PDB file of all heavy atoms in Angstrom:
ATOM      1  N   GLY A  30      19.722-118.589 -36.873  1.00  0.00           N
ATOM      2  CA  GLY A  30      19.174-119.218 -38.076  1.00  0.00           C
ATOM      3  C   GLY A  30      20.081-120.406 -38.595  1.00  0.00           C
ATOM      4  O   GLY A  30      19.679-121.099 -39.510  1.00  0.00           O
ATOM      5  N   GLY A  31      21.136-120.599 -37.968  1.00  0.00           N
ATOM      6  CA  GLY A  31      22.047-121.702 -38.358  1.00  0.00           C
ATOM      7  C   GLY A  31      23.026-121.312 -39.511  1.00  0.00           C
ATOM      8  O   GLY A  31      23.115-120.207 -39.920  1.00  0.00           O
ATOM      9  N   LEU A  32      23.678-122.357 -39.954  1.00  0.00           N
ATOM     10  CA  LEU A  32      24.792-122.179 -40.955  1.00  0.00           C
ATOM     11  C   LEU A  32      24.536-123.016 -42.146  1.00  0.00           C
ATOM     12  O   LEU A  32      24.480-124.231 -42.036  1.00  0.00           O
ATOM     13  CB  LEU A  32      26.104-122.562 -40.272  1.00  0.00           C
ATOM     14  CG  LEU A  32      27.362-122.348 -41.012  1.00  0.00           C
ATOM     15  CD1 LEU A  32      27.574-120.837 -41.400  1.00  0.00           C
ATOM     16  CD2 LEU A  32      28.562-122.788 -40.181  1.00  0.00           C
ATOM     17  N   ARG A  33      24.532-122.332 -43.318  1.00  0.00           N
ATOM     18  CA  ARG A  33      24.397-123.085 -44.566  1.00  0.00           C
ATOM     19  C   ARG A  33      25.728-123.487 -45.070  1.00  0.00           C
ATOM     20  O   ARG A  33      26.374-122.939 -45.978  1.00  0.00           O
ATOM     21  CB  ARG A  33      23.716-122.207 -45.620  1.00  0.00           C
ATOM     22  CG  ARG A  33      22.402-121.526 -45.154  1.00  0.00           C
ATOM     23  CD  ARG A  33      21.221-122.551 -45.071  1.00  0.00           C
ATOM     24  NE  ARG A  33      21.321-123.428 -43.944  1.00  0.00           N
ATOM     25  CZ  ARG A  33      21.003-123.120 -42.652  1.00  0.00           C
ATOM     26  NH1 ARG A  33      20.580-121.894 -42.422  1.00  0.00           N
ATOM     27  NH2 ARG A  33      21.096-124.010 -41.717  1.00  0.00           N
ATOM     28  N   ALA A  34      26.234-124.594 -44.464  1.00  0.00           N
ATOM     29  CA  ALA A  34      27.561-125.111 -44.803  1.00  0.00           C
ATOM     30  C   ALA A  34      27.726-126.498 -44.208  1.00  0.00           C
ATOM     31  O   ALA A  34      27.012-126.948 -43.256  1.00  0.00           O
ATOM     32  CB  ALA A  34      28.638-124.120 -44.273  1.00  0.00           C
ATOM     33  N   VAL A  35      28.796-127.144 -44.613  1.00  0.00           N
ATOM     34  CA  VAL A  35      29.230-128.320 -43.968  1.00  0.00           C
ATOM     35  C   VAL A  35      30.304-127.874 -42.964  1.00  0.00           C
ATOM     36  O   VAL A  35      31.323-127.317 -43.256  1.00  0.00           O
ATOM     37  CB  VAL A  35      29.882-129.352 -44.882  1.00  0.00           C
ATOM     38  CG1 VAL A  35      30.580-130.538 -44.098  1.00  0.00           C
ATOM     39  CG2 VAL A  35      28.877-129.930 -45.891  1.00  0.00           C
ATOM     40  N   VAL A  36      30.006-128.126 -41.649  1.00  0.00           N
ATOM     41  CA  VAL A  36      30.998-127.840 -40.604  1.00  0.00           C
ATOM     42  C   VAL A  36      31.916-129.002 -40.457  1.00  0.00           C
ATOM     43  O   VAL A  36      31.451-130.089 -40.226  1.00  0.00           O
ATOM     44  CB  VAL A  36      30.251-127.471 -39.360  1.00  0.00           C
ATOM     45  CG1 VAL A  36      31.250-127.329 -38.165  1.00  0.00           C
ATOM     46  CG2 VAL A  36      29.508-126.163 -39.470  1.00  0.00           C
ATOM     47  N   VAL A  37      33.208-128.740 -40.538  1.00  0.00           N
ATOM     48  CA  VAL A  37      34.187-129.804 -40.294  1.00  0.00           C
ATOM     49  C   VAL A  37      34.793-129.646 -38.940  1.00  0.00           C
ATOM     50  O   VAL A  37      35.411-128.544 -38.650  1.00  0.00           O
ATOM     51  CB  VAL A  37      35.307-129.780 -41.375  1.00  0.00           C
ATOM     52  CG1 VAL A  37      36.356-130.894 -41.071  1.00  0.00           C
ATOM     53  CG2 VAL A  37      34.724-129.940 -42.800  1.00  0.00           C
ATOM     54  N   ARG A  38      34.615-130.610 -38.073  1.00  0.00           N
ATOM     55  CA  ARG A  38      35.132-130.552 -36.727  1.00  0.00           C
ATOM     56  C   ARG A  38      36.163-131.661 -36.509  1.00  0.00           C
ATOM     57  O   ARG A  38      35.767-132.881 -36.701  1.00  0.00           O
ATOM     58  CB  ARG A  38      33.989-130.633 -35.715  1.00  0.00           C
ATOM     59  CG  ARG A  38      34.375-130.226 -34.306  1.00  0.00           C
ATOM     60  CD  ARG A  38      33.174-129.991 -33.469  1.00  0.00           C
ATOM     61  NE  ARG A  38      33.434-129.321 -32.207  1.00  0.00           N
ATOM     62  CZ  ARG A  38      33.514-129.907 -31.048  1.00  0.00           C
ATOM     63  NH1 ARG A  38      33.425-131.202 -30.930  1.00  0.00           N
ATOM     64  NH2 ARG A  38      33.738-129.197 -29.949  1.00  0.00           N
ATOM     65  N   MET A  39      37.325-131.328 -36.183  1.00  0.00           N
ATOM     66  CA  MET A  39      38.374-132.311 -36.021  1.00  0.00           C
ATOM     67  C   MET A  39      38.379-132.869 -34.615  1.00  0.00           C
ATOM     68  O   MET A  39      38.328-132.070 -33.652  1.00  0.00           O
ATOM     69  CB  MET A  39      39.738-131.699 -36.363  1.00  0.00           C
ATOM     70  CG  MET A  39      39.668-130.861 -37.603  1.00  0.00           C
ATOM     71  SD  MET A  39      39.435-131.796 -39.151  1.00  0.00           S
ATOM     72  CE  MET A  39      41.121-132.127 -39.547  1.00  0.00           C
ATOM     73  N   GLY A  40      38.508-134.200 -34.437  1.00  0.00           N
ATOM     74  CA  GLY A  40      38.531-134.767 -33.135  1.00  0.00           C
ATOM     75  C   GLY A  40      39.821-135.568 -32.882  1.00  0.00           C
ATOM     76  O   GLY A  40      40.901-135.206 -33.336  1.00  0.00           O
ATOM     77  N   ARG A  41      39.620-136.734 -32.241  1.00  0.00           N
ATOM     78  CA  ARG A  41      40.778-137.563 -31.943  1.00  0.00           C
ATOM     79  C   ARG A  41      41.480-137.995 -33.225  1.00  0.00           C
ATOM     80  O   ARG A  41      40.812-138.221 -34.280  1.00  0.00           O
ATOM     81  CB  ARG A  41      40.319-138.813 -31.171  1.00  0.00           C
ATOM     82  CG  ARG A  41      39.780-138.522 -29.787  1.00  0.00           C
ATOM     83  CD  ARG A  41      39.381-139.758 -29.047  1.00  0.00           C
ATOM     84  NE  ARG A  41      38.910-139.460 -27.773  1.00  0.00           N
ATOM     85  CZ  ARG A  41      38.448-140.369 -26.851  1.00  0.00           C
ATOM     86  NH1 ARG A  41      38.348-141.616 -27.233  1.00  0.00           N
ATOM     87  NH2 ARG A  41      38.001-139.988 -25.703  1.00  0.00           N
ATOM     88  N   GLY A  42      42.790-138.051 -33.200  1.00  0.00           N
ATOM     89  CA  GLY A  42      43.517-138.316 -34.331  1.00  0.00           C
ATOM     90  C   GLY A  42      44.086-137.015 -34.946  1.00  0.00           C
ATOM     91  O   GLY A  42      45.056-137.078 -35.778  1.00  0.00           O
ATOM     92  N   PHE A  43      43.634-135.917 -34.478  1.00  0.00           N
ATOM     93  CA  PHE A  43      44.135-134.614 -34.953  1.00  0.00           C
ATOM     94  C   PHE A  43      44.547-133.806 -33.670  1.00  0.00           C
ATOM     95  O   PHE A  43      44.613-132.546 -33.825  1.00  0.00           O
ATOM     96  CB  PHE A  43      43.071-133.832 -35.713  1.00  0.00           C
ATOM     97  CG  PHE A  43      42.668-134.515 -37.050  1.00  0.00           C
ATOM     98  CD1 PHE A  43      41.575-135.376 -37.073  1.00  0.00           C
ATOM     99  CD2 PHE A  43      43.394-134.284 -38.163  1.00  0.00           C
ATOM    100  CE1 PHE A  43      41.191-135.966 -38.337  1.00  0.00           C
ATOM    101  CE2 PHE A  43      43.050-134.862 -39.386  1.00  0.00           C
ATOM    102  CZ  PHE A  43      41.951-135.702 -39.480  1.00  0.00           C
ATOM    103  N   ASN A  44      44.811-134.412 -32.579  1.00  0.00           N
ATOM    104  CA  ASN A  44      45.186-133.677 -31.382  1.00  0.00           C
ATOM    105  C   ASN A  44      46.535-134.037 -30.840  1.00  0.00           C
ATOM    106  O   ASN A  44      46.845-133.832 -29.637  1.00  0.00           O
ATOM    107  CB  ASN A  44      44.120-133.820 -30.364  1.00  0.00           C
ATOM    108  CG  ASN A  44      43.938-135.245 -29.904  1.00  0.00           C
ATOM    109  OD1 ASN A  44      44.444-136.168 -30.510  1.00  0.00           O
ATOM    110  ND2 ASN A  44      43.122-135.488 -28.868  1.00  0.00           N
ATOM    111  N   GLY A  45      47.388-134.790 -31.631  1.00  0.00           N
ATOM    112  CA  GLY A  45      48.664-135.178 -31.203  1.00  0.00           C
ATOM    113  C   GLY A  45      49.672-133.947 -31.049  1.00  0.00           C
ATOM    114  O   GLY A  45      49.440-132.912 -31.731  1.00  0.00           O
ATOM    115  N   ILE A  46      50.624-134.121 -30.217  1.00  0.00           N
ATOM    116  CA  ILE A  46      51.623-133.120 -29.987  1.00  0.00           C
ATOM    117  C   ILE A  46      52.972-133.852 -30.017  1.00  0.00           C
ATOM    118  O   ILE A  46      53.265-134.763 -29.261  1.00  0.00           O
ATOM    119  CB  ILE A  46      51.500-132.392 -28.587  1.00  0.00           C
ATOM    120  CG1 ILE A  46      50.052-131.820 -28.482  1.00  0.00           C
ATOM    121  CG2 ILE A  46      52.532-131.364 -28.398  1.00  0.00           C
ATOM    122  CD1 ILE A  46      49.769-131.347 -27.085  1.00  0.00           C
ATOM    123  N   GLU A  47      53.834-133.386 -30.928  1.00  0.00           N
ATOM    124  CA  GLU A  47      55.208-134.016 -31.074  1.00  0.00           C
ATOM    125  C   GLU A  47      56.254-132.900 -30.728  1.00  0.00           C
ATOM    126  O   GLU A  47      56.167-131.795 -31.166  1.00  0.00           O
ATOM    127  CB  GLU A  47      55.409-134.510 -32.512  1.00  0.00           C
ATOM    128  CG  GLU A  47      54.416-135.667 -32.890  1.00  0.00           C
ATOM    129  CD  GLU A  47      54.707-136.153 -34.291  1.00  0.00           C
ATOM    130  OE1 GLU A  47      55.661-135.622 -34.904  1.00  0.00           O
ATOM    131  OE2 GLU A  47      53.982-137.015 -34.737  1.00  0.00           O
ATOM    132  N   ILE A  48      57.278-133.280 -29.973  1.00  0.00           N
ATOM    133  CA  ILE A  48      58.285-132.352 -29.504  1.00  0.00           C
ATOM    134  C   ILE A  48      59.631-132.847 -30.062  1.00  0.00           C
ATOM    135  O   ILE A  48      60.016-133.981 -29.952  1.00  0.00           O
ATOM    136  CB  ILE A  48      58.387-132.366 -27.952  1.00  0.00           C
ATOM    137  CG1 ILE A  48      56.967-132.060 -27.354  1.00  0.00           C
ATOM    138  CG2 ILE A  48      59.438-131.330 -27.532  1.00  0.00           C
ATOM    139  CD1 ILE A  48      56.476-130.711 -27.446  1.00  0.00           C
ATOM    140  N   ASP A  49      60.393-131.866 -30.661  1.00  0.00           N
ATOM    141  CA  ASP A  49      61.741-132.067 -31.015  1.00  0.00           C
ATOM    142  C   ASP A  49      62.514-131.048 -30.134  1.00  0.00           C
ATOM    143  O   ASP A  49      62.774-129.923 -30.507  1.00  0.00           O
ATOM    144  CB  ASP A  49      61.972-131.829 -32.480  1.00  0.00           C
ATOM    145  CG  ASP A  49      63.432-132.064 -32.923  1.00  0.00           C
ATOM    146  OD1 ASP A  49      64.294-132.162 -31.964  1.00  0.00           O
ATOM    147  OD2 ASP A  49      63.720-132.272 -34.100  1.00  0.00           O
ATOM    148  N   ALA A  50      62.919-131.454 -28.932  1.00  0.00           N
ATOM    149  CA  ALA A  50      63.494-130.524 -27.929  1.00  0.00           C
ATOM    150  C   ALA A  50      64.825-130.074 -28.442  1.00  0.00           C
ATOM    151  O   ALA A  50      65.151-128.881 -28.191  1.00  0.00           O
ATOM    152  CB  ALA A  50      63.660-131.230 -26.575  1.00  0.00           C
ATOM    153  N   GLU A  51      65.611-130.864 -29.149  1.00  0.00           N
ATOM    154  CA  GLU A  51      66.900-130.444 -29.620  1.00  0.00           C
ATOM    155  C   GLU A  51      66.776-129.257 -30.609  1.00  0.00           C
ATOM    156  O   GLU A  51      67.565-128.354 -30.588  1.00  0.00           O
ATOM    157  CB  GLU A  51      67.664-131.595 -30.250  1.00  0.00           C
ATOM    158  CG  GLU A  51      69.180-131.287 -30.613  1.00  0.00           C
ATOM    159  CD  GLU A  51      69.962-130.995 -29.381  1.00  0.00           C
ATOM    160  OE1 GLU A  51      69.691-131.499 -28.284  1.00  0.00           O
ATOM    161  OE2 GLU A  51      70.902-130.214 -29.559  1.00  0.00           O
ATOM    162  N   ALA A  52      65.811-129.399 -31.496  1.00  0.00           N
ATOM    163  CA  ALA A  52      65.620-128.396 -32.526  1.00  0.00           C
ATOM    164  C   ALA A  52      64.781-127.269 -32.024  1.00  0.00           C
ATOM    165  O   ALA A  52      64.559-126.221 -32.723  1.00  0.00           O
ATOM    166  CB  ALA A  52      65.028-129.050 -33.774  1.00  0.00           C
ATOM    167  N   GLY A  53      64.110-127.456 -30.860  1.00  0.00           N
ATOM    168  CA  GLY A  53      63.232-126.397 -30.392  1.00  0.00           C
ATOM    169  C   GLY A  53      61.934-126.321 -31.142  1.00  0.00           C
ATOM    170  O   GLY A  53      61.304-125.233 -31.342  1.00  0.00           O
ATOM    171  N   ARG A  54      61.471-127.495 -31.731  1.00  0.00           N
ATOM    172  CA  ARG A  54      60.277-127.496 -32.532  1.00  0.00           C
ATOM    173  C   ARG A  54      59.102-128.170 -31.836  1.00  0.00           C
ATOM    174  O   ARG A  54      59.355-129.305 -31.213  1.00  0.00           O
ATOM    175  CB  ARG A  54      60.607-128.188 -33.890  1.00  0.00           C
ATOM    176  CG  ARG A  54      61.546-127.393 -34.767  1.00  0.00           C
ATOM    177  CD  ARG A  54      60.864-126.200 -35.415  1.00  0.00           C
ATOM    178  NE  ARG A  54      61.717-125.371 -36.249  1.00  0.00           N
ATOM    179  CZ  ARG A  54      61.933-125.528 -37.583  1.00  0.00           C
ATOM    180  NH1 ARG A  54      61.375-126.481 -38.161  1.00  0.00           N
ATOM    181  NH2 ARG A  54      62.705-124.652 -38.198  1.00  0.00           N
ATOM    182  N   VAL A  55      57.981-127.720 -31.980  1.00  0.00           N
ATOM    183  CA  VAL A  55      56.712-128.302 -31.472  1.00  0.00           C
ATOM    184  C   VAL A  55      55.757-128.415 -32.607  1.00  0.00           C
ATOM    185  O   VAL A  55      55.328-127.415 -33.252  1.00  0.00           O
ATOM    186  CB  VAL A  55      56.133-127.481 -30.292  1.00  0.00           C
ATOM    187  CG1 VAL A  55      54.784-128.194 -29.808  1.00  0.00           C
ATOM    188  CG2 VAL A  55      57.072-127.396 -29.186  1.00  0.00           C
ATOM    189  N   THR A  56      55.242-129.642 -32.899  1.00  0.00           N
ATOM    190  CA  THR A  56      54.231-129.824 -33.944  1.00  0.00           C
ATOM    191  C   THR A  56      52.959-130.368 -33.312  1.00  0.00           C
ATOM    192  O   THR A  56      52.994-131.372 -32.532  1.00  0.00           O
ATOM    193  CB  THR A  56      54.730-130.844 -34.963  1.00  0.00           C
ATOM    194  OG1 THR A  56      55.892-130.304 -35.655  1.00  0.00           O
ATOM    195  CG2 THR A  56      53.654-131.069 -36.070  1.00  0.00           C
ATOM    196  N   ALA A  57      51.859-129.588 -33.511  1.00  0.00           N
ATOM    197  CA  ALA A  57      50.579-129.957 -32.764  1.00  0.00           C
ATOM    198  C   ALA A  57      49.513-130.116 -33.834  1.00  0.00           C
ATOM    199  O   ALA A  57      49.393-129.386 -34.812  1.00  0.00           O
ATOM    200  CB  ALA A  57      50.253-128.911 -31.813  1.00  0.00           C
ATOM    201  N   GLY A  58      48.626-131.160 -33.589  1.00  0.00           N
ATOM    202  CA  GLY A  58      47.530-131.273 -34.423  1.00  0.00           C
ATOM    203  C   GLY A  58      46.479-130.135 -34.208  1.00  0.00           C
ATOM    204  O   GLY A  58      46.484-129.480 -33.130  1.00  0.00           O
ATOM    205  N   VAL A  59      45.588-129.908 -35.172  1.00  0.00           N
ATOM    206  CA  VAL A  59      44.714-128.811 -35.167  1.00  0.00           C
ATOM    207  C   VAL A  59      43.788-128.867 -33.955  1.00  0.00           C
ATOM    208  O   VAL A  59      43.324-127.779 -33.498  1.00  0.00           O
ATOM    209  CB  VAL A  59      43.916-128.756 -36.493  1.00  0.00           C
ATOM    210  CG1 VAL A  59      43.047-130.065 -36.610  1.00  0.00           C
ATOM    211  CG2 VAL A  59      43.034-127.547 -36.621  1.00  0.00           C
ATOM    212  N   ALA A  60      43.446-130.041 -33.455  1.00  0.00           N
ATOM    213  CA  ALA A  60      42.523-130.185 -32.371  1.00  0.00           C
ATOM    214  C   ALA A  60      43.211-130.122 -30.950  1.00  0.00           C
ATOM    215  O   ALA A  60      42.537-130.260 -29.951  1.00  0.00           O
ATOM    216  CB  ALA A  60      41.698-131.476 -32.503  1.00  0.00           C
ATOM    217  N   ALA A  61      44.571-130.060 -30.945  1.00  0.00           N
ATOM    218  CA  ALA A  61      45.242-130.016 -29.648  1.00  0.00           C
ATOM    219  C   ALA A  61      44.917-128.688 -28.962  1.00  0.00           C
ATOM    220  O   ALA A  61      44.995-127.591 -29.570  1.00  0.00           O
ATOM    221  CB  ALA A  61      46.723-130.135 -29.922  1.00  0.00           C
TER     222      ALA A  61
END
């Protein structure tokens, strides 16, 4: 029957991946 809502779908611009190897940290966009 479908969904009575606004579906928010994240695309390009939200799929980046940043690495801080020294600190052991990985930051990723929601769409990665």
Side-chain angles (χ1 to χ4, degrees):
L32 184 60
R33 307 288 74 80
V35 173
V36 171
V37 178
R38 195 167 194 258
M39 315 293 268
R41 293 181 179 177
F43 294 94
N44 61 353
I46 303 170
E47 297 180 3
I48 308 285
D49 184 343
E51 187 63 30
R54 293 284 176 95
V55 178
T56 298
V59 64

